[in-house]
Amino acid sequence: MRILGVDPGLTRCGVGIIDANADRSVSLVSVTVLTTDKDLELPQRLLQLRSELAALIEEFKPERIAVERVFAQHNLRTVMGTAQASAVAFVEAAERGIPVDMHTPSEVKASVTGTGRANKVQVATMVGRLLTLPEGKLLPDATDALALAICNAWRGGAGTAPKGALTPAQQRWRDAERQAKKRG
Amino acid sequence: MRILGVDPGLTRCGVGIIDANADRSVSLVSVTVLTTDKDLELPQRLLQLRSELAALIEEFKPERIAVERVFAQHNLRTVMGTAQASAVAFVEAAERGIPVDMHTPSEVKASVTGTGRANKVQVATMVGRLLTLPEGKLLPDATDALALAICNAWRGGAGTAPKGALTPAQQRWRDAERQAKKRG
């Protein structure tokens, strides 16, 4: 299963492509950070982003696309750019019939590090380990895009509810954990 | 000069198309409110919006497109949908080389009513008068899209600074008005 992760942004848009294998291992296919020219007008920047993203989709033919779910941020301008960049990714995916999933930052962190409160360094370290990358080579946006793709590979995407992705034994374990927390 | 105004939205996207004549009169070409199916996933909704907007652009061949500039709103979910819908309009315009302008709601209100603090009813009334429409027929999103197109027609768009659009006599009048306000 080939998965393309998008950390959407207008100035820097991380794109990470991985192959998710049946044994739950993941391997790097490609990773890049797309940038658009700040001197261009917004419509031209979005068009540029679209062309570059479309080229990657055509080249690597992902079967699923995972996009970070955007939430409130301090800077509204950033939120707008992020939302607009994600719209470009959504339309490119939908046009080609590629299923899209959204994951929150904490889902992504929890998937690759085991905790939704992991910091950037932890996430980067785990992404590097899981994909057996050389250390200290990736830009943060690139790391986040790869982490998204890994999260999507493991959580199950394309409308698969997380609960459905658990085996009966895993569900019992989860239920037991919840009970323990309530008691604690 | 044919102008297409877009009041961007995911659930309801107003589109108003006008012809702006040399004598500053404006006439209605077409107006509609595009809707997308709430039951669809976000990528499919954006794709649907794109198809419908593209069809209108192909049919009416606007020379300029005016889009409402989105600002902070109370509901972040609404802002996101608005930003994503506007991204679709931007890309459709940029792809065809059609210049795009953005106008703030207060610019639009000021253009059609004379005050940036006009309410919805005032704006609707003036849009109806300027385009000689029968009363009480338009949805609010449709009215806003037409008001945007009229604003664009009168302020001058496509990179024309408002100042440059004034004749020397108009500039003197504006400067005199400002002086009067300072004194007041």
Side-chain angles (χ1 to χ4, degrees), chain B residues 17-180:
Chain B
I17 305 163
I18 64 164
D19 277 337
N21 309 309
D23 63 358
R24 285 177 68 88
S25 70
V26 284
S27 48
L28 178 69
V29 175
S30 181
V31 63
T32 186
V33 176
L34 305 177
T35 57
T36 64
D37 189 345
K38 279 188 178 181
D39 295 334
L40 290 178
E41 303 264 347
L42 177 58
Q44 274 69 37
R45 293 180 75 178
L46 291 170
L47 186 63
Q48 191 181 353
L49 180 63
R50 189 183 81 159
S51 306
E52 296 183 11
L53 191 58
L56 289 172
I57 294 174
E58 294 301 328
E59 182 176 355
F60 295 106
K61 306 202 185 320
E63 292 154 86
R64 282 210 306 247
I65 292 181
V67 181
E68 188 170 303
R69 191 184 288 278
V70 185
F71 283 109
Q73 290 172 22
H74 295 296
N75 187 339
L76 187 78
R77 182 178 284 270
T78 309
V79 176
M80 299 293 296
T82 307
Q84 288 165 334
S86 70
V88 167
F90 290 143
V91 171
E92 289 311 291
E95 196 178 16
R96 292 169 176 81
I98 305 171
V100 182
D101 296 292
M102 280 172 268
H103 301 291
T104 64
S106 61
E107 279 172 1
V108 174
K109 289 174 190 170
S111 281
V112 300
T113 72
T115 167
R117 295 182 182 181
N119 63 28
K120 289 262 173 201
V121 175
Q122 274 178 279
V123 171
T125 303
M126 285 308 298
V127 165
R129 265 183 216 161
L130 294 165
L131 296 172
T132 57
L133 306 177
E135 266 182 49
K137 290 271 178 182
L138 289 175
L139 292 170
D141 306 272
T143 308
D144 288 346
L146 288 171
L148 258 165
I150 297 171
C151 169
N152 187 254
W154 288 350
R155 289 180 73 93
T160 315
K163 186 177 175 179
L166 299 180
T167 64
Q170 287 170 329
Q171 284 183 36
R172 282 195 299 274
W173 173 262
R174 186 201 56 192
D175 293 344
E177 268 193 327
R178 284 184 184 166
Q179 284 301 321

Side-chain angles (χ1 to χ4, degrees), chain A residues 58-76:
Chain A
E58 294 300 328
E59 182 176 354
F60 294 106
K61 306 199 186 317
E63 292 154 85
R64 282 209 307 248
I65 292 181
V67 181
E68 187 169 302
R69 191 183 289 278
V70 186
F71 283 109
Q73 291 172 20
H74 294 296
N75 186 340
L76 186 78

